[in-house]
Amino acid sequence: MGFIQLNVLNNAASNVALGIDLGTTNSLGAMWKDGRPIVLHPEGDSGYVPSAIHFTEKGAAIVGRQARELAIVDPAHTLFSIKRFMGRGLAQVEADARNVPCALSETDNGVVQFEMRGRKYTPQELSALILMKVHDQACKALGGIEVTKVVITVPAYFDDSQRQATRDAARIAGLDVLRIINEPTAASLAYGLDQKKHGKVAVYDLGGGTFDVSILSIEDGVFQVLSTNGDTHLGGDDFDRTLVDVAKKELASIVRPSTLDDRAFLQLLRLAAERCKIELSSDPEAYMHVSLPESGVQWRRKFTRHEFDALTAHLIERTLHSCRRAMADAKLGVEEIDEVVLVGGSTRTPAVRSRVEKFFGRRPHTELNPDEVVALGAAVQAHVLMGGTRELLLMDVTPLSLGLETMGGAVAKVIERNSTIPCQATEGFTTYVDNQTGVDLHVVQGERELAKDCRSLGRFKLSGIPPMPAGMPRIAVRFHIDANGLLTVTAREESSGKSARVEITPMNGLTDSEVEAMLNAAFKNARDDFDARRAADLATEIGTMVRASERGLAHAADALDRETRRDIEDAVAKARSTSAASREPQKLQKVRDELERATLPLAALLMDQVAKSALSGKKLDEV
Amino acid sequence: MKHCPDCGAKLETPLGCGACGALFSPESTLTPFEVLGLEPSYELGAAELKKRLLRVSRVVHPDYFGSADAATRERAERASALVNEAHATLASDRARADWLVRWLGGPAESEKREMPKRFLLDVLEWNETLELARGASPGSAERAALVELRRVLRAQTDEVLATLAARLSPLPERASARLAEARADLNALRYLDNTLAQIDAVELESLRPN
Ligand SMILES: Nc1ncnc2c1ncn2[C@@H]1O[C@H](COP(=O)(O)OP(=O)(O)O)[C@@H](O)[C@H]1O
Ligand SMILES: [Mg+2]
């Protein structure tokens, strides 16, 4: 690993950063190495971390492939598709909530919480667990080197709340986020880099939970996004749901009504539906199987690809309408698109491919692995951000218009959608009554006319305006959308030059102190995990030592004086009882050390005997 | 400021130096032309503008300051936002003309809002065509009328843009009458653009899946 600069104190890399694709279904890490981005996976492992979390009886979190497997035996304690809840309140996730096998609640600021094994988890904390797992895998692949700087991808159509939630998740995971970039843009980086392409490219990204389409112009290393569109609640999960709905209807006469509402049962149906769907991508027909041994239910249903296509046609149609909007915003006709790139697992569905091909009138590119391009692109961007090259320039856009709620509940646009980021706008405000020192702003994102139909980003309270007659203060409020697509708001009273304070009540977001507390809790959990592993290792070691000591005593007791023998017997008894009762590494370490000290004379004696018997031609194990 | 105070290299933009990587926070407000290192003029080729955007972005874009301190990163963010804002202004014929008219002391949009006389009757007719087409199915006579209206309005737009270009190049004297005429053209364009956008919206909406 000669290319990595290491800080010798903590084995941390200082000159490299990871790219992480934090997907609804699968997550993956990559890094720039030897002139190209590579996927990071430990030996004998693909590196994909299924974005699934299982909670054991004791409340420990198991993340990834193992969690996915445990979902089959214990669906009630396994969570999927957490990304669909990021930056959202309960009211906006009704359909998704029905797929969750546990109770949901909401914090004061409208952050969804999942109740698992007696604890509540926000989507940010759950995503942090996934990020930690991906990070851990990546660092393992690098031979244990600690890389804490990361670039994380999000769907292009993610709004500010969803991006903030992603950044908070990374903070909770203890990662240093260099940049949040858009998934289709990342894909285009990996693609354009590989092919040294020029021209207009459409990236169609249909994953597990989200759909994005971005139209880019690629030229001499400049990746300029012209427009983007999508749906943060449309993906493979919805394709699965069409099969689940059929199954539910047909199972209604077979299982008890209560079973049909049982969250764990629904989870089971969903997994069965997904398996059937994936088979239909390669076979013209496939079966969906559901078995409930406890109630003797064995259900099997054949789906033809034709039937599946009919069930899902409206979903594909929705993605195409997003494509139309994106094309209109880019002011391009389909005939002007030079290349179409498919990203995301759901683009393996044959109907998706053929509909996209028909829409754009050209065969889409599929030679890049649709599961890897996003992480690879994030690694390219990480390389740029670490100062690796100035050859590449990425110019992305903000997906949604930013606006302020006016007196009548309408929206006054401040920044138009598809503006190149970073971008800014300054708006002037004044006061309505004498000596008014504060102004409230309601900031929204979206294209609808009324504020109530847009996404609320929260209330911004300007305070500290110097007391003046009504209408006198000239407050300039600056809205800045940074290269991550994240909004910051600052304000100044122009006549006094004083900067006003901007207090934000995030909508569906965490406050800084909440993130801080979760970060500490996550570290505590990580330490607990570490302690548990160490305790387990020590207990095993003590067990081996106890057995060896007992065997030794049986052989050589006569050769030891009584006091030494008593010492050893006491130490063995204590070690045995402690390792049976305690899981505290410190305690275990102490009895282990005591046992070692007490048995030193025995060990010396045995060594002596071994030496002698060796001379007399006996084998070791006959001593 | 034409040369970098730090290293003396020639500057592409007053916002930073491509040679030594320094970023500057100019005291006074820069014009969009200054930001991109261009001379003010209405005639501006798209290719030339894009070239300037990329040149300057390569100097100030936050991606190239990923491992810099927070203050530098913030400066890059601000500089880059200014560059993108300047580019957005100059890339649009309307926004560029509007900026030049105001810069030269001509009337602002809010001072001269009245509908251009020649559109008085037309606008009513346009709205009716739009209204009829809204509920109509693709391929109907109403939709065909919409397509025809779009053709007509696009031709008119091109005409007005050509007149506007003639008025603004070379740049008129400060506060001259030509600025008021240019403002009237811009007002006409507002009506045309608006109607064309509504036509596009009707077409897009009719394709929306349920
Ligand atoms: N062969 C396949 N045919 C159809 N859908 C597939 C296939 N393989 C994976 N999928 C679906 O792709 C989705 C996951 O895609 P992925 O790009 O990994 O998602 P995300 O980026 O949201 O994590 C899931 O809904 C999965 O069921
Ligand atoms: Mg994805």
Side-chain angles (χ1 to χ4, degrees):
Chain A
M1 291 292 158
F3 69 104
I4 298 178
Q5 276 168 20
L6 275 186
N7 178 334
V8 287
L9 286 181
N10 56 5
N11 203 35
S14 55
N15 70 331
V16 290
L18 300 176
I20 297 181
D21 170 9
L22 177 60
T24 313
T25 321
N26 294 299
S27 299
L28 186 64
M31 199 174 77
W32 185 271
K33 196 190 164 196
D34 303 332
R36 67 193 179 95
I38 53 159
V39 167
L40 290 176
H41 49 86
E43 244 177 70
D45 188 302
S46 68
Y48 303 121
V49 175
S51 306
I53 307 179
H54 177 81
F55 288 88
T56 66
E57 218 163 319
K58 291 205 173 115
I62 295 174
V63 182
R65 190 150 308 134
Q66 213 187 337
R68 221 187 132 87
E69 279 155 18
L70 286 165
I72 298 163
V73 289
D74 186 6
H77 297 101
T78 312
L79 297 175
F80 291 97
S81 297
I82 292 144
K83 189 169 169 179
R84 290 179 83 129
F85 296 85
M86 292 287 268
R88 286 282 181 265
L90 270 185
Q92 301 139 355
V93 291
E94 267 174 45
D96 294 309
R98 268 180 256 128
N99 279 0
V100 172
C102 67
L104 295 176
S105 54
E106 213 178 36
T107 68
D108 292 346
N109 287 336
V111 178
V112 175
Q113 286 175 304
F114 297 74
E115 290 194 40
M116 268 286 165
R117 306 282 196 192
R119 232 207 88 176
K120 291 178 175 179
Y121 297 88
T122 61
Q124 286 87 330
E125 288 167 282
L126 296 168
S127 297
L129 289 170
I130 296 167
L131 283 172
M132 282 192 238
K133 177 78 180 187
V134 176
H135 175 251
D136 189 56
Q137 294 254 330
C139 291
K140 264 198 202 122
L142 290 170
I145 288 166
E146 191 60 24
V147 180
T148 55
K149 292 193 168 86
V150 296
V151 170
I152 298 184
T153 62
V154 296
Y157 220 54
F158 253 23
D159 65 29
D160 188 77
S161 308
Q162 293 168 306
R163 284 166 201 267
Q164 288 282 3
T166 305
R167 190 168 67 171
D168 289 343
R171 278 165 69 196
I172 295 166
L175 300 173
D176 177 7
V177 186
L178 289 180
R179 178 77 81 239
I180 289 172
I181 68 167
N182 295 327
E183 286 159 12
T185 316
S188 78
L189 273 180
Y191 166 80
L193 195 74
D194 230 41
Q195 321 267 321
K196 301 252 176 299
K197 287 285 186 213
H198 289 249
K200 305 280 190 291
V201 176
V203 182
Y204 178 103
D205 179 357
L206 188 61
T210 60
F211 170 68
D212 278 329
V213 54
S214 287
I215 312 296
L216 291 104
S217 144
I218 304 181
E219 211 177 316
D220 297 327
V222 179
F223 293 71
Q224 189 176 20
V225 180
L226 303 175
S227 69
T228 192
N229 210 294
D231 190 330
T232 57
H233 281 72
L234 175 57
D237 290 358
D238 300 283
F239 285 63
D240 301 341
R241 211 171 290 163
T242 62
L243 295 182
V244 168
D245 288 344
V246 171
K248 273 168 74 177
K249 223 175 272 158
E250 297 183 7
L251 277 163
S253 55
I254 302 171
V255 303
R256 274 191 302 273
S258 61
T259 308
L260 276 186
D261 289 331
D262 181 52
R263 291 167 188 273
F265 177 69
L266 292 178
Q267 179 94 280
L268 207 71
L269 283 187
R270 204 188 63 68
L271 291 168
E274 186 185 15
R275 267 193 302 275
C276 179
K277 169 189 79 176
I278 289 176
E279 263 183 61
L280 283 171
S281 288
S282 45
D283 302 337
E285 56 184 53
Y287 283 93
M288 178 171 166
H289 296 266
V290 178
S291 72
L292 280 177
E294 5 4 324
S295 44
V297 172
Q298 281 288 351
W299 183 81
R300 197 170 96 113
R301 158 75 147 89
K302 185 163 93 178
F303 284 95
T304 62
R305 193 183 279 176
H306 186 74
E307 183 180 8
F308 180 64
D309 289 350
L311 287 168
T312 55
H314 67 292
L315 298 172
I316 301 177
E317 212 32 64
R318 271 167 65 192
T319 67
L320 295 180
H321 198 61
S322 287
C323 294
R324 265 180 220 119
R325 289 173 187 277
M327 296 298 296
D329 283 351
K331 300 195 170 64
L332 290 176
V334 282
E335 68 288 347
E336 289 170 273
I337 295 292
D338 299 302
E339 316 270 351
V340 180
V341 179
L342 294 184
V343 184
S346 298
T347 59
R348 292 205 176 87
T349 300
V352 170
R353 291 197 172 182
S354 61
R355 292 292 289 119
V356 172
E357 177 170 347
K358 191 151 160 253
F359 180 88
F360 285 103
R362 64 184 55 246
R363 173 142 295 200
H365 281 272
T366 49
E367 59 271 18
L368 285 175
N369 183 340
D371 300 325
E372 290 182 354
V373 282
V374 172
L376 291 173
V380 174
Q381 180 67 358
H383 177 61
V384 174
L385 285 162
M386 293 308 288
T389 176
R390 277 202 187 217
E391 299 278 291
L392 294 179
L393 174 62
L394 185 61
M395 305 223 281
D396 217 322
V397 299
T398 180
L400 298 158
S401 299
L402 186 81
L404 295 172
E405 178 169 357
T406 63
M407 293 295 251
V411 178
K413 275 195 188 160
V414 176
I415 292 175
E416 295 282 339
R417 70 170 183 274
N418 292 319
S419 296
T420 304
I421 52 173
C423 61
Q424 63 172 5
T426 307
E427 291 283 312
F429 294 90
T430 189
T431 53
Y432 294 103
V433 291
D434 290 348
N435 300 326
Q436 182 181 340
T437 55
V439 172
D440 282 354
L441 303 176
H442 182 209
V443 182
V444 298
Q445 249 183 333
E447 312 309 322
R448 303 283 297 275
E449 308 260 318
L450 295 180
K452 70 173 175 56
D453 297 325
C454 291
R455 281 278 302 148
S456 170
L457 299 188
R459 311 252 161 199
F460 293 70
K461 214 182 180 60
L462 312 181
S463 57
I465 301 165
M468 280 184 249
M472 280 297 284
R474 294 205 326 276
I475 309 150
V477 181
R478 181 170 171 273
F479 301 85
H480 180 99
I481 298 181
D482 69 12
N484 303 298
L486 286 168
L487 171 71
T488 47
V489 178
T490 48
R492 248 164 69 94
E493 200 289 303
E494 300 270 85
S495 65
S496 65
K498 270 177 94 173
S499 63
R501 226 153 44 90
V502 183
E503 215 174 281
I504 308 161
T505 316
M507 186 64 106
N508 313 125
L510 299 172
T511 61
D512 276 346
S513 56
E514 282 173 322
V515 172
E516 194 72 24
M518 288 171 183
L519 172 65
N520 291 333
F523 267 123
K524 189 182 166 302
N525 283 343
R527 205 172 46 236
D528 288 352
D529 288 354
F530 178 76
D531 284 354
R533 219 169 23 236
R534 212 168 69 125
D537 289 350
L538 280 167
T540 315
E541 192 185 355
I542 290 171
T544 315
M545 284 169 74
V546 163
R547 275 192 302 282
S549 307
E550 282 175 341
R551 219 158 15 104
L553 274 182
H555 273 289
D558 299 345
L560 293 167
D561 60 70
R562 250 187 47 209
E563 211 169 313
T564 312
R565 215 160 61 214
R566 169 92 44 76
D567 255 9
I568 297 174
E569 282 162 2
D570 286 354
V572 166
K574 192 161 170 221
R576 181 180 282 148
S577 65
T578 308
S579 72
S582 171
R583 276 292 164 270
E584 283 176 47
Q586 290 84 354
K587 261 196 198 160
L588 291 167
Q589 185 74 45
K590 196 160 156 258
V591 297
R592 183 214 158 272
D593 292 349
E594 273 167 19
L595 180 61
E596 188 178 51
R597 199 178 34 75
T599 53
L600 272 178
L602 177 62
L605 195 71
L606 289 174
M607 283 302 288
D608 211 29
Q609 283 190 1
V610 168
K612 279 196 192 124
S613 57
L615 288 176
S616 63
K618 276 191 181 171
K619 280 193 199 142
L620 233 165
D621 53 4
E622 290 165 22
V623 175
Chain B
M1 185 169 50
K2 285 282 193 283
H3 292 272
C4 175
D6 290 2
C7 74
K10 193 166 172 294
L11 292 180
E12 299 271 357
T13 170
L15 294 170
C17 171
C20 70
L23 289 175
F24 315 121
S25 307
E27 306 277 289
S28 60
T29 330
L30 297 170
T31 71
F33 291 99
E34 285 169 335
V35 166
L36 293 172
L38 288 162
E39 287 304 316
S41 90
Y42 179 77
E43 295 295 337
L44 184 57
E48 164 71 3
L49 182 61
K50 177 147 188 199
K51 204 176 87 195
R52 293 305 311 163
L53 170 70
L54 299 184
R55 279 258 173 96
V56 175
S57 292
R58 283 216 149 96
V59 176
V60 302
H61 199 279
D63 281 1
Y64 305 131
F65 298 87
S67 21
D69 57 272
T72 308
R73 289 206 310 267
E74 174 64 19
R75 211 174 300 150
E77 276 286 343
R78 283 182 177 250
S80 195
L82 279 178
V83 170
N84 289 332
E85 195 181 14
H87 177 259
T89 302
L90 300 189
S92 146
D93 294 334
R94 283 82 163 160
R96 187 169 71 250
D98 170 71
W99 187 88
L100 285 168
V101 168
R102 282 183 293 121
W103 184 63
L104 292 169
E109 186 187 297
S110 54
E111 292 167 46
K112 212 171 176 337
R113 295 194 70 95
E114 76 274 17
M115 190 189 301
K117 278 192 204 71
R118 58 174 175 178
F119 287 164
L120 272 175
L121 289 176
D122 295 351
V123 170
L124 292 177
E125 211 181 293
W126 300 345
N127 285 342
E128 198 184 315
T129 311
L130 266 167
E131 225 23 75
L132 289 171
R134 248 181 253 280
S137 52
S140 59
E142 290 84 356
R143 290 287 295 277
L146 199 65
V147 172
E148 173 58 15
L149 178 60
R150 176 161 62 193
R151 195 191 59 75
V152 172
L153 295 190
R154 279 186 178 161
Q156 286 196 22
T157 303
D158 290 345
E159 247 172 66
V160 180
L161 276 172
T163 326
L164 180 65
R167 292 198 216 279
L168 292 179
S169 26
L171 283 179
E173 298 283 306
R174 285 193 64 82
S176 65
R178 262 166 64 203
L179 294 170
E181 291 161 12
R183 176 57 70 193
D185 291 338
L186 282 168
N187 272 347
L189 284 171
R190 267 222 329 272
Y191 282 95
L192 290 165
D193 291 347
N194 228 322
T195 311
L196 280 166
Q198 286 187 57
I199 293 174
D200 289 345
V202 168
E203 298 222 306
L204 206 56
E205 187 58 27
S206 74
L207 293 169
R208 190 166 69 129
N210 308 312

